[in-house]
Amino acid sequence: MTIRKLLHWITPLTLGALVGLYEILHGLYYVLYGTPEQKRDYPLEIVLGLPIMVICLGGHWVISRLTHSNTRTIWIIESILVGLTLYGFYRS
């Protein structure tokens, strides 16, 4: 696997999808093995992790198609989108 191919698949939005997957697995673990209070509270992580993962993967797919798989352009656009999202999150 070349570096270009690796950089095409590991982008800011695919890393965001990994965060969503982590939330899903973390919530699922506490739903299955947690205390009764945790079993009540952690399904929200599963519910919030699913749209994060789907939006990040869908956004990556759309941006990849729009830029004709140009790795540099994908990284620039996704970095700007992730930066704006983080900026808005910390400003609210």
Side-chain angles (χ1 to χ4, degrees):
M1 179 177 263
T2 65
I3 296 293
R4 182 172 184 243
K5 194 69 139 167
L6 186 66
L7 286 175
H8 178 73
W9 284 106
I10 299 176
T11 63
L13 285 181
T14 55
L15 294 175
L18 286 176
V19 170
L21 180 64
Y22 170 78
E23 282 191 31
I24 293 168
L25 295 176
H26 186 255
L28 189 60
Y29 175 78
Y30 280 106
V31 166
L32 295 176
Y33 302 112
T35 63
E37 294 160 354
Q38 290 171 332
K39 288 181 180 184
R40 184 189 72 226
D41 295 337
Y42 278 91
L44 183 61
E45 271 195 39
I46 298 169
V47 172
L48 294 176
L50 284 170
I52 290 172
M53 192 171 72
V54 169
I55 288 170
C56 286
L57 289 177
H60 173 71
W61 183 78
V62 168
I63 291 170
S64 176
R65 296 293 174 226
L66 289 175
T67 60
H68 303 291
S69 297
N70 185 345
T71 305
R72 182 182 308 148
T73 309
I74 291 171
W75 266 86
I76 291 169
I77 293 171
E78 289 186 11
S79 297
I80 290 170
L81 288 174
V82 169
L84 289 173
T85 302
L86 290 174
Y87 176 75
F89 178 75
Y90 286 116
R91 291 286 294 177
S92 64

